[in-house]
Amino acid sequence: MAYDVIVLGLGAMGSAATQHLAERGKRVLGIEQFTRAHDQGSSHGGSRMIRQAYFESPDYIPLVLRAYELWRKIERDIGTDLLRITGGLNIGSRDGELVRHTIAAAERHSIPFEVLERREVSERFPVVAPLRDDVAVYETNAGYLFPEECIRAQLGLASRTGAEFHFEEMVLSWNAMGDGVEVRTSKDTYVAGHLVITVGPWANAALQGIFPLRVTRQVMAWIQPTTGVTPFMPDRFPVFLCEDPEGGYPGYGFPAMDGPAGGLKTAIHGSDVTCTPETVDREIHEADLRGIIDQLKVRMPALEGEVVRAKTCLYTMTPDEHFVIGKHPEFSSCSVACGFSGHRFKFASVVGEILADLAIDGSTAHPIGLFAPGRFVA
């Protein structure tokens, strides 16, 4: 059987692409080497932050606003909550990049926010002890998504409208041929008019290294605060980003969404530990946990607590930390979405829409110039 589109990788982006393609009446095959909503890549861990005042670049904001709309539509279509608004707190020095760029992005796109002085931060969130030069940007509409449930929801909607899925099937090779593509797997060979590659940290192998992608090992730790979780519950405490006082990668975290036994999920947004999906060290070490606790306890002393659990995940970094989304530089019958640099999950719903546009129409009305694959190809 020939398909209209084959999607390789069914994590956040691949599941979204299959949903949008199937809902537009296309014959879609999605292929995934692992099980549904697996924990081997970058789309697991129970929560992913979503925010609108995007300090990385204001160019992301039209896309994230559309992503909010699409997540809410999926919730209505399946009758399940996927996105919870808690507010978001970005803490750092007044002149630091985190604070300055968040304010600039919010002002440019009229995103609701407040600037809280040091005393105001402690009054509103007593478990936070800002540093002497700190201020905080409080974003009203920030919150978190449930990533595994989001993926299951997108796959479910795609299946409902006719998509076919093959899980636990390894892709061995793909080839562009004429006006279509051929995909050879461990089980069979398939042909389609278009190929969408959304394989996360496996992109280097799938794309034969055409983009300068660097995979890094990340650690997420769930910490039981010394105060107990009550002051950190989602109805009292926001998602947060904290500038590193030492100038390193920022720390971030979530409220106690899993209740008294679950702790707070925390992490450092960035790592210098490079790896591949095959060589990553998935064992958790004391140094991993100390690095997270020591940075975050400076402003949240209650996080000097017991680690309930911890887990690794993978970032796939581009040199400029912006995404790669567009047509393959050599083959018009192939679209790619990769290099999401640790801040992409919130965009999955709209990236799926973009990938469907590219596969069907060859272009998209969404502003994706920042993500052009050609910027890395000589």
Side-chain angles (χ1 to χ4, degrees), residues 302-313:
L303 293 185
E304 179 71 275
E306 177 189 357
V307 175
V308 178
R309 63 188 177 102
K311 199 165 184 66
T312 59
C313 74

Side-chain angles (χ1 to χ4, degrees), residues 18-335:
T18 59
Q19 177 204 337
H20 284 278
L21 287 162
E23 288 179 344
R24 297 190 204 181
K26 299 302 175 182
R27 291 170 298 170
V28 184
L29 170 63
I31 303 175
E32 168 59 56
Q33 64 179 319
F34 299 112
T35 57
R36 190 181 304 251
H38 64 82
D39 65 355
Q40 298 300 295
S42 308
S43 298
H44 59 281
S47 59
R48 285 293 185 276
M49 196 178 297
I50 187 165
R51 50 193 168 86
Q52 298 177 351
Y54 223 68
F55 72 87
E56 289 87 343
S57 170
D59 293 347
Y60 286 91
I61 294 179
L63 296 177
V64 79
L65 294 178
R66 176 59 175 160
Y68 271 77
E69 294 174 352
L70 290 170
W71 289 125
R72 291 307 191 193
K73 181 179 185 301
I74 294 171
E75 287 181 321
R76 293 193 298 271
D77 289 345
I78 65 171
T80 299
D81 292 337
L82 300 175
L83 190 167
R84 179 161 187 177
I85 299 298
T86 59
L89 202 62
N90 289 358
I91 309 174
S93 62
R94 187 182 300 276
D95 297 327
E97 289 190 3
L98 176 60
V99 168
R100 287 190 297 108
H101 291 180
T102 299
I103 292 173
E107 289 179 338
R108 177 172 168 180
H109 288 274
S110 301
I111 304 299
F113 76 99
E114 302 172 65
V115 176
L116 305 179
E117 298 296 332
R118 181 184 178 205
R119 174 183 53 80
E120 295 173 301
V121 174
S122 295
E123 288 176 352
R124 192 174 300 190
F125 306 107
V127 289
V128 180
L131 303 179
R132 182 191 300 259
D133 296 327
D134 278 351
V135 296
V137 183
Y138 180 78
E139 181 187 336
T140 307
N141 293 323
Y144 56 84
L145 295 156
F146 301 96
E148 290 90 346
E149 294 308 312
C150 289
I151 291 169
R152 292 187 184 101
Q154 291 175 148
L155 293 173
L157 290 172
S159 181
R160 186 186 300 178
T161 46
E164 179 181 336
F165 298 118
H166 293 186
F167 292 98
E168 300 183 273
E169 185 166 344
M170 179 75 69
V171 172
L172 302 178
S173 65
W174 65 271
N175 295 288
M177 51 180 198
D179 58 355
V181 294
E182 179 183 82
V183 176
R184 186 168 66 92
T185 76
S186 55
K187 297 183 179 180
D188 208 338
T189 298
Y190 312 97
V191 295
H194 198 86
L195 178 67
V196 175
I197 298 179
T198 54
V199 294
W202 290 269
N204 274 325
L207 295 167
Q208 298 183 331
I210 62 171
F211 304 124
L213 303 176
R214 180 172 60 92
V215 178
T216 65
R217 173 183 179 269
Q218 308 293 141
V219 174
M220 306 172 282
W222 284 257
I223 300 171
Q224 188 67 258
T226 56
T227 58
V229 299
T230 299
F232 290 96
M233 294 297 285
D235 58 346
R236 302 185 183 194
F237 200 72
V239 297
F240 60 90
L241 279 162
C242 293
E243 180 183 80
D244 179 14
E246 303 299 323
Y249 298 111
Y252 69 95
F254 299 80
M257 54 181 284
D258 296 322
L264 269 71
K265 179 185 167 186
T266 60
I268 304 300
H269 179 59
S271 168
D272 295 322
V273 181
T274 59
C275 61
T276 70
E278 293 74 32
T279 64
V280 60
D281 178 7
R282 296 191 183 273
E283 184 178 348
I284 303 299
H285 305 282
E286 180 62 25
D288 297 324
L289 306 179
R290 285 286 7 138
I292 297 170
I293 293 171
D294 287 348
Q295 181 171 326
L296 292 177
K297 74 176 185 179
V298 171
R299 292 186 178 93
M300 300 181 194
L303 293 185
E304 179 71 275
E306 177 189 357
V307 175
V308 178
R309 63 188 177 102
K311 199 165 184 66
T312 59
C313 74
L314 300 172
Y315 282 5
T316 307
M317 310 295 295
T318 62
D320 59 13
E321 298 188 14
H322 297 310
F323 309 159
V324 176
I325 304 174
K327 287 295 189 70
H328 190 287
E330 298 178 26
F331 307 114
S332 61
S333 57
C334 176
S335 300

